[in-house]
Structures are given as structure tokens and as C-alpha cells.
Amino acid sequence: MLTKALVILLLFGFAPVLAQTRKPAGHYECPMHPDVTSKKPGKCPKCGMTLRFTKEKPKVEAPPAETPSSTGTAVRIPDVTVQDQNGKSLNFYTDLVKGKVVAINFIFTTCTTICPPLTATFRRVQQELAAQNSSAQLISVSVDPAIDTPERLRDFAAKFKAEPGWAFVTGNTSDINSLLQQLGVAVTNKNDHTPMILIGNDEAGYWTRAYGLSSPTSLVKLITEAAIRK
Ligand SMILES: [Cu+2]
């Protein structure tokens, strides 16, 4: 029965199948360049990263039409409860993002691949921002909240000589997962996490994405550009 039904549905194309069974539709997308999409797996022609399967977002999540952004990325920052590296409880949006210029990256402390260079890059970004008297804040969100306790994040922050103005955050798994999801960086396997950085000016409603392993100078430039948006 099922096979016959499938054959019939295949004959009539995929659209009716998807509509009738609500199977998740999707496409492959570059974690760095969401405008790069493909029906097949492959690599991003812009940055060479492996394209990631992305479920088509339900229509209800469509961003409000008036949201301005250079990349067309609408970012709504959830106000979930998080803990920083000092064990302080914070509301992500209200305490860390509201009214500020921020750069956010995504890390986990036991990562042996891209997190150390991502964090070292952020460290240099912080130094360059300080040299320019910038008030931009840095945020590193753990994609492994079950393991990354505030204590672990504190050690990690110390290892990379993070200065005040750089929050390392963790929280309960469901809060962090919903945060990652809404920021568009959720992954099923933490080892596949994105080297993407989100740079935003909350007051201006301006958000852009950057490759987290770009040169610190080019990231600082993007942050400075975000800061002067009105
Ligand atoms: Cu990593």
C-alpha cells in the first residue's frame, strides 16, 4: 500500500506529498551565507564550508517585513535566562543585548577544533575594540550547556584572558537550545557548530553575520560599522 501510494505521489510530484504528509521540507544552506542554498549537499562557493541541511521554516516564523538588516537576516533575540561565567543569572536580551552593540559567537569549552581559534580571535577583537574606546560587548554562547557550567566557562574565559565586557553564557539545555534556534544557529551535533558571528546594533535594529575566523581587524571594522548605524 505504502509503496504504491509513494509511487503515485512521486508521479504527481513532491509538492502534494509535502503538503499532505507535512514531512519536513528543507534545503542545504551555508552556515555563513544563508543566501547560499542548494537542493543537494555540497560546499559553499563563497567560503568553502559544508552546506548544512536546514528545515524550511514554518510560515509563522517569517520575520516581520519591516525588519531592516544589511543581509536580510531578521534577528529576534530571545530573553531566556542564562548564567554568565561568574554564575550570575541574566536575561539574555535585557541584560546583554538591549540597547547595545554586540558580537556573539558560539563555542563549547571541550571543543578541540574551531573554538580555540574563534575565542582567540574574539580576544584580539576585544583588545582592538578597547584600543578604540568602543563600548561594544562580546558574548560567547555555549552550545554545550550540559557540560559547560559557569565554572568551566570562567576557566575558559581566563585561559583566553577575556576582560570585562565579554560574557560567556550557559544555561539550562532547553533555554539555550531555544536561544540557539532563534538566533538561527541550532545544531544537532555540537561538533558541527557554526563559526558564524552575529554582529548587531540593537537600538538600530541592525544585524549582520560574519565568519568568526576572519581577521580580528575586519571583524572590528564590521562591529564599528554596526555601531554607527542609526
Ligand atoms: Cu568548536
Side-chain angles (χ1 to χ4, degrees):
M1 267 310 272
L2 190 62
T3 321
K4 198 177 165 193
L6 260 178
V7 169
I8 289 167
L9 285 167
L10 282 172
L11 284 172
F12 286 90
F14 281 103
V17 182
L18 297 171
Q20 282 166 22
T21 63
R22 292 187 192 171
K23 224 172 122 187
H27 60 266
Y28 291 86
E29 186 180 295
C30 174
M32 265 305 302
H33 300 97
D35 51 313
V36 175
T37 58
S38 164
K39 290 202 167 124
K40 291 182 220 145
K43 300 226 185 271
C44 173
K46 291 189 188 171
C47 67
M49 283 182 65
T50 305
L51 303 181
R52 201 166 63 198
F53 187 73
T54 314
K55 273 190 214 160
E56 236 54 273
K57 289 204 178 86
K59 289 221 166 59
V60 286
E61 279 181 31
E66 77 276 17
T67 306
S69 159
S70 71
T71 56
T73 316
V75 178
R76 199 166 60 83
I77 311 292
D79 208 22
V80 295
T81 305
V82 296
Q83 277 84 45
D84 71 7
Q85 71 268 38
N86 301 312
K88 198 171 161 200
S89 203
L90 301 167
N91 292 318
F92 191 81
Y93 175 72
T94 313
D95 294 321
L96 293 172
V97 176
K98 193 176 175 187
K100 298 187 169 91
V101 174
V102 296
I104 309 173
N105 72 6
F106 305 90
I107 53 108
F108 63 99
T109 62
T110 51
C111 175
T112 53
T113 58
I114 60 166
C115 295
L118 272 178
T119 312
T121 301
F122 247 31
R123 157 69 176 156
R124 290 196 40 212
V125 166
Q126 186 176 42
Q127 288 174 308
E128 288 194 27
L129 288 172
Q132 298 181 12
N133 284 319
S134 164
S135 59
Q137 305 279 303
L138 302 183
I139 306 171
S140 292
V141 179
S142 169
V143 297
D144 191 15
I147 300 288
D148 288 342
T149 58
E151 295 71 37
R152 265 178 178 275
L153 290 178
R154 197 180 53 219
D155 292 346
F156 190 75
K159 197 167 121 191
F160 287 94
K161 301 189 167 61
E163 300 285 344
W166 182 355
F168 289 75
V169 303
T170 186
N172 80 44
T173 306
S174 68
D175 281 343
I176 294 294
N177 284 348
S178 91
L179 175 65
L180 297 174
Q181 198 130 29
Q182 292 194 63
L183 296 180
V185 296
V187 284
T188 28
N189 179 346
K190 66 184 180 194
N191 293 299
D192 291 338
H193 74 96
T194 178
M196 184 194 81
I197 293 184
L198 275 173
I199 293 170
N201 176 340
D202 177 62
E203 223 153 79
Y206 169 85
W207 287 91
T208 189
R209 299 173 187 225
Y211 181 51
L213 299 173
S214 316
S215 78
T217 307
S218 66
L219 293 171
V220 167
K221 193 162 165 264
L222 289 173
I223 295 168
T224 318
E225 278 166 13
I228 57 171
R229 293 271 167 164
K230 287 276 168 348

